[in-house]
């Protein structure tokens, strides 16, 4: 089963570009165009990882991330924030909101794929450790 990635993005060009990169790399891509539908889609689809645009038309990506991190079902899904605001403090704001990672736009293909692979690997190792503990206990 390919890993399922939810991309929350309101800009159709960014959506198309990232979908193309991820699909070519063998990932299954699901999409949401704003923060609230992003949260709803995460809850119904349980993706392996979420790419979160920060500037969204309803609630922003940081607010959407904090709401998901407050939900026990969604809190363990890694969230990588994508932001065009390369301002000082931006990374800190993303991490404070509960984002696991952070990438500045424009998205660079190799950086995107490497970051996703790293977080998927970390998440699957954490999952295996939990399973081992359950089995041992
Ligand atoms: Mn946007």
């Amino acid at each position: 089963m390919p890993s399922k990635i939810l991309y929350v993005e309101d800009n159709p060009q960014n959506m198309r570009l990232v979908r193309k990169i991820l699909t070519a790399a063998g990932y299954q891509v699901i999409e949401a165009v704003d923060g609230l539908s992003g949260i709803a889609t995460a809850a119904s689809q349980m993706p392996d990882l979420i790419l979160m645009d920060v500037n969204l038309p309803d609630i922003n990506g940081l607010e959407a991330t904090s709401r998901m991190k407050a939900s026990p079902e969604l809190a363990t899904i890694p969230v990588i924030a994508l932001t065009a605001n390369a301002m000082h403090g931006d990374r800190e704001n993303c991490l404070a909101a509960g984002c696991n990672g952070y990438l500045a736009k424009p998205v660079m293909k190799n950086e995107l794929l490497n970051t996703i692979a790293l977080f998927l690997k970390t998440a699957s190792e954490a999952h295996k450790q939990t399973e081992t503990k359950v089995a041992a206990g």
Side-chain angles (χ1 to χ4, degrees):
M1 284 267 285
S3 294
K4 198 195 299 186
I5 298 176
L6 168 63
Y7 185 25
V8 185
E9 171 65 78
D10 61 316
N11 179 308
Q13 276 177 295
N14 291 341
M15 182 64 89
R16 209 174 309 129
L17 172 70
V18 168
R19 190 206 300 129
K20 195 174 155 192
I21 293 171
L22 297 183
T23 306
Y27 294 114
Q28 182 191 347
V29 182
I30 50 177
E31 303 176 3
V33 294
D34 59 37
L36 293 175
S37 67
I39 296 170
T41 305
S44 63
Q45 301 282 318
M46 292 304 291
D48 298 295
L49 182 142
I50 299 168
L51 293 176
M52 179 68 76
D53 179 30
V54 170
N55 297 306
L56 292 169
D58 54 351
I59 58 170
N60 72 39
L62 300 185
E63 174 63 25
T65 300
S66 339
R67 291 193 195 182
M68 288 193 282
K69 292 300 181 184
S71 148
E73 295 79 29
L74 303 180
T76 56
I77 304 173
V79 177
I80 301 171
L82 300 181
T83 179
N85 311 326
M87 283 164 47
H88 185 69
D90 213 39
R91 185 174 179 278
E92 287 71 16
N93 291 339
C94 287
L95 299 179
C99 299
N100 303 86
Y102 165 91
L103 288 173
K105 286 181 175 180
V107 168
M108 301 297 168
K109 182 182 165 183
N110 288 340
E111 188 184 30
L112 176 68
L113 291 176
N114 290 342
T115 305
I116 288 173
L118 178 71
F119 278 103
L120 287 175
K121 185 166 173 276
T122 307
S124 99
E125 277 166 7
H127 184 66
K128 272 183 211 145
Q129 279 177 7
T130 309
E131 282 182 339
T132 309
K133 273 183 203 154
V134 170

